[in-house]
Amino acid sequence: MASRSAKTPETTQPAQRLPAELAHAEELAALREADDGPRPEGWRLSPRAVRTFILGSGRDRRIARKIHGNDALVERAIVTLTGQRGLMLVGEPGTAKSLLSELLAAAISGDSTLTVQGGAGVVEEQIRYGWNYALLLRDGPGPASLVPGPLHRAMAGGGLLRFEEISRCVTEVQDCLVPVLSERLLHIPELKDVQPYLLARPGFNVIATANLRDRGVNEMSAALKRRFNFETMRPLDGIEAQARLIGEEVARELVAQRIGTEVLPQVLTLLATAFHELRAGMVEGTAIERPGTVLSTAEAISVACNAAADCWYFGEQRLRPAHLARYLVGTAIKDDDEDRRRFAEYLRIVARRRAGSEDWQDFVAGGQGA
Ligand SMILES: Nc1ncnc2c1ncn2[C@@H]1O[C@H](COP(=O)(O)OP(=O)(O)OP(=O)(O)O)[C@@H](O)[C@H]1O
Ligand SMILES: [Mg+2]
């Protein structure tokens, strides 16, 4: 993950976060150097090296694992991108859809920034191309007055277009990808006297992500669906696996923020357990009402990072369960009064059932004060 104090090679200005191709530039260079596998036209790495970049190099740990679980899915995603269909990553919020899409684009085309962020207000011009109106009025339509959007740039450069949250765009806007994906050609009727279309260079493809549970999403047309292979990202199974993932991500983030709070594994296991029980609506056989909010791994990571920052800046050395509970409300439960009531009920049950555990009592005390 990007370091807060990292310098971008282009500007040497400090950046809050670097795109994956810069954050992992050394790993990508090493993979390229050693890569002798077959490489699809337009790709910077072979599919095998792309896999190693995302899933890690195993025991030698030269290349860190970046996506946990979902190994077979990652392989299928890579293979999909070698073909004529786009890749659609769907699933619950916080299951690393955006992260995987960024890593694939960084490894395959060396640029993860050709991105469209879907939303109700997105129009086709922001995706395909627009015009510099001063030049358009002066010289008329021509290559100089055309302002390429991410789709145009990806096609012209043989790169990957990342279309985030595609289902937040209205169906008509989503459908501008249909002819592009089938014919690999973008019509530019305004340039009828020059070259009225752009052909996609080898390497071009589309990775879209869609969140199927959120409100405010639009249907995808059958025509669009046919042009994509769908992969469903799932949350990690098991409390221990969750706790390990939270621990790794939190450790990385704390180093980047230069925060030295001590975070013990047992505290992370407690956090993963609380998330698991709230998601499942079950505490040791007792059913509870499930909060309506999304309680993903990404939310758990935020809770732990905020709690660790609180300790660091307000003078405590070690993260305690009480800190986690205090941030769980604002970070994950958010503004819904019903969810707050459900969380309070969860704390009441935990307080009764786990009276003998100091850690859980500390957690309950922190939550009650929040
Ligand atoms: N299986 C996983 N492997 C690695 N990291 C994960 C995994 N699941 C969640 N994460 C963590 O969660 C963070 C958030 O993931 P990301 O933003 O990619 O999710 P998303 O599926 O795009 O969510 P949303 O639908 O809200 O956009 C990641 O940066 C990573 O730290
Ligand atoms: Mg996302």
Side-chain angles (χ1 to χ4, degrees):
M1 198 51 43
S3 151
R4 303 237 156 200
S5 58
K7 304 267 199 288
T8 59
E10 289 85 2
T11 62
T12 67
Q13 294 289 322
Q16 280 201 329
R17 182 182 187 279
L18 295 177
E21 59 276 18
L22 297 179
H24 305 294
E26 279 175 22
E27 282 188 1
L28 288 168
L31 283 165
R32 218 169 136 88
E33 177 97 21
D35 193 7
D36 53 8
R39 201 152 38 94
E41 209 185 344
W43 283 39
R44 291 167 71 94
L45 291 177
S46 66
R48 200 177 306 165
V50 175
R51 180 191 189 282
T52 307
F53 176 64
I54 294 171
L55 299 178
S57 54
R59 282 218 194 101
D60 73 16
R61 290 176 170 249
R62 272 185 321 112
I63 309 290
R65 177 183 268 274
K66 298 167 192 72
I67 296 284
H68 296 261
N70 297 308
D71 287 16
L73 181 153
V74 170
E75 284 172 6
R76 285 196 305 273
I78 297 169
V79 170
T80 292
L81 291 171
T82 65
Q84 288 300 304
R85 283 182 172 210
L87 171 66
M88 180 77 68
L89 297 171
V90 299
E92 302 247 322
T95 44
K97 299 182 294 296
S98 299
L99 177 61
L100 177 58
S101 129
E102 181 183 3
L103 293 169
L104 286 166
I108 294 170
S109 48
D111 185 356
S112 63
T113 65
L114 297 171
T115 309
V116 177
Q117 185 64 49
V122 172
V123 292
E124 271 186 53
E125 286 74 38
Q126 289 163 290
I127 302 169
R128 294 176 321 187
Y129 56 87
W131 298 97
N132 176 328
Y133 286 100
L135 292 179
L136 187 68
L137 286 174
R138 202 187 67 188
D139 306 330
S145 51
L146 184 139
V147 181
L151 174 63
H152 189 291
R153 287 168 56 206
M155 291 178 74
L160 287 170
L161 172 72
R162 295 177 52 209
F163 203 138
E164 286 282 301
E165 305 282 351
I166 191 169
S167 50
R168 293 194 170 282
C169 290
V170 295
T171 310
E172 294 77 32
V173 171
Q174 299 175 20
D175 276 351
C176 77
L177 290 180
V178 171
V180 167
L181 282 171
S182 28
E183 294 159 34
R184 305 275 152 171
L185 175 154
L186 177 66
H187 291 285
I188 312 178
E190 297 89 340
L191 297 187
K192 61 180 184 316
D193 301 328
V194 196
Q195 168 104 12
Y197 56 82
L198 170 73
L199 297 176
R201 297 206 22 203
F204 166 73
N205 212 335
V206 179
I207 309 175
T209 66
N211 203 318
L212 301 180
R213 219 183 96 173
D214 275 3
R215 263 172 271 173
V217 299
N218 297 290
E219 275 290 310
M220 277 182 237
S221 69
L224 187 71
K225 284 186 180 169
R226 275 199 303 279
R227 280 151 183 93
F228 280 95
N229 281 357
F230 278 58
E231 292 292 349
T232 306
M233 304 276 295
R234 299 194 191 285
L236 273 187
D237 275 343
I239 290 170
E240 279 313 317
Q242 287 270 359
R244 254 197 320 275
L245 170 59
I246 299 169
E248 277 178 27
E249 292 296 317
V250 169
R252 232 198 300 263
E253 187 63 26
L254 295 190
V255 168
Q257 292 189 34
R258 301 207 190 90
I259 288 176
T261 309
E262 189 183 356
V263 183
L264 296 178
Q266 77 206 53
V267 178
L268 296 174
T269 304
L270 181 146
L271 179 64
T273 307
F275 265 66
H276 176 80
E277 290 172 339
L278 286 164
R279 261 198 314 258
M282 188 65 77
V283 189
E284 295 181 9
T286 304
I288 55 165
E289 256 187 279
R290 273 194 293 202
T293 183
V294 172
L295 291 163
S296 68
T297 314
E299 304 286 338
I301 294 167
S302 299
V303 170
C305 285
N306 282 315
D310 181 309
C311 297
W312 183 246
Y313 291 117
F314 297 123
E316 288 198 50
Q317 307 220 305
R318 179 181 288 178
L319 183 69
R320 283 190 295 113
H323 298 120
L324 294 174
R326 259 181 242 155
Y327 278 91
L328 211 149
V329 176
T331 311
I333 301 286
K334 306 213 165 86
D335 61 345
D336 185 333
D337 284 342
E338 277 298 294
D339 278 355
R340 284 171 180 256
R341 186 186 56 72
R342 290 173 185 132
F343 183 56
E345 178 61 20
Y346 171 71
L347 291 179
R348 261 194 302 281
I349 294 179
V350 164
R352 254 201 339 260
R353 291 291 176 101
R354 296 177 182 148
S357 158
E358 233 174 78
D359 274 352
W360 279 104
Q361 292 306 320
D362 191 49
F363 182 77
V364 171
Q368 283 165 345

